[in-house]
Amino acid sequence: MNIIVKQDEQTLAQTVAEAMAAYINAHPGALLCFAAGDTPLSAFRALIELQKDNKVDLTSVYYVGLDEWVGLGAETRGSCVQVMYDNYYTPAGIPADHVRVFDGLNKDVEQEKTRIQSWIDERGGIDFTLLGIGMNGHIGFNEPYSGLKDGCIYIELDDTTKSVSKKYFDTPLPVEYGIGVGAGELKKADTVFLMASGAKKAEIVKKTTQTPDEAVPSSLLNDHLNVTLFIDEAAASLL
Ligand code: PGA
């Protein structure tokens, strides 16, 4: 895997945004899948600035949501749909018909998986994905030992994910299940960006770069032919 280390989170965000803009400029009509979570937010801001400077047209591509907490919708601060619309789709001016995201309020989970998968299939698969690495190495809701599943997944959340979830919500919510794109489906993308920042991610970043291990989902992507790990110096401190 390619590894790019930048001094701090801000410099890292700018580097990731420039690399994303280069990808988008070279692949009009591509299907992109971005993680919500805290890690990519600064890169989204930098990418939107690049669009303001006419360096990229973020409306020239299509998007699919990576995941959602089952039971949560746009009205819940911290849901993936709220985070993505407020921090990316809306400020970037992405047309509604360029985006399809998981509805965590749909009680028919199988129907929801099919709805998203049909969007992915219509567009010929995911071309590019930007993933944050979770504290337990999860990518989206591909939790430890869930492997490289094709298609979309419905999954019981790992204890670490439930515990980390508190940081996203105004008050702790009893999240138990997630819905999202499977790691095998993500691995089919021609380009994968993994991103992590801060000293608290140093240990899981190290494991991400080691022999692929089912216990560390992010490591299952490290043998992808075109994967780049973008980290700041703090997250790189154990490499
Ligand atoms: P974070 O989450 O970007 O908020 O650290 C990453 C993840 O758990 O997917």
Side-chain angles (χ1 to χ4, degrees), residues 35-40 67 132-136 138-140 161 164 167-168 200-201:
D38 292 338
T39 307
D67 53 8
I133 301 174
M135 291 300 290
N136 58 359
H138 81 180
I139 43 175
T161 302
V164 168
K167 73 172 178 161
Y168 301 118
K200 68 177 190 297
K201 294 281 175 75

Side-chain angles (χ1 to χ4, degrees), residues 4-5 9 20 25 29 40 49 55 64-65 79 91-92 110 117 120 138 148 151 153 165 182-183 194 202:
I4 295 181
V5 182
E9 201 185 330
M20 291 170 77
N25 287 334
E49 284 306 309
K55 302 257 174 59
V64 62
S79 65
E110 287 307 314
Q117 189 60 40
I120 294 173
H138 81 180
L148 284 169
I153 57 166
S165 76
L194 291 173

Side-chain angles (χ1 to χ4, degrees), residues 64-79:
V64 62
L66 174 63
D67 53 8
E68 188 56 278
W69 309 93
V70 169
L72 303 190
E75 72 295 336
T76 302
R77 226 178 111 73
S79 65

Side-chain angles (χ1 to χ4, degrees), residues 182-235:
E185 196 69 27
L186 294 167
K187 200 171 180 179
K188 293 182 204 161
D190 65 51
T191 302
V192 175
F193 284 7
L194 291 173
M195 192 178 177
S197 54
K200 68 177 190 297
K201 294 281 175 75
E203 186 66 42
I204 199 68
V205 161
K206 181 178 167 198
K207 290 183 180 164
T208 298
T209 64
Q210 293 173 338
T211 309
D213 179 351
E214 292 263 325
V216 183
S218 49
S219 73
L220 301 179
L221 298 188
N222 75 19
D223 57 355
H224 185 281
L225 288 178
N226 189 14
V227 58
T228 305
L229 173 63
F230 293 88
I231 46 181
D232 64 3
E233 283 180 359

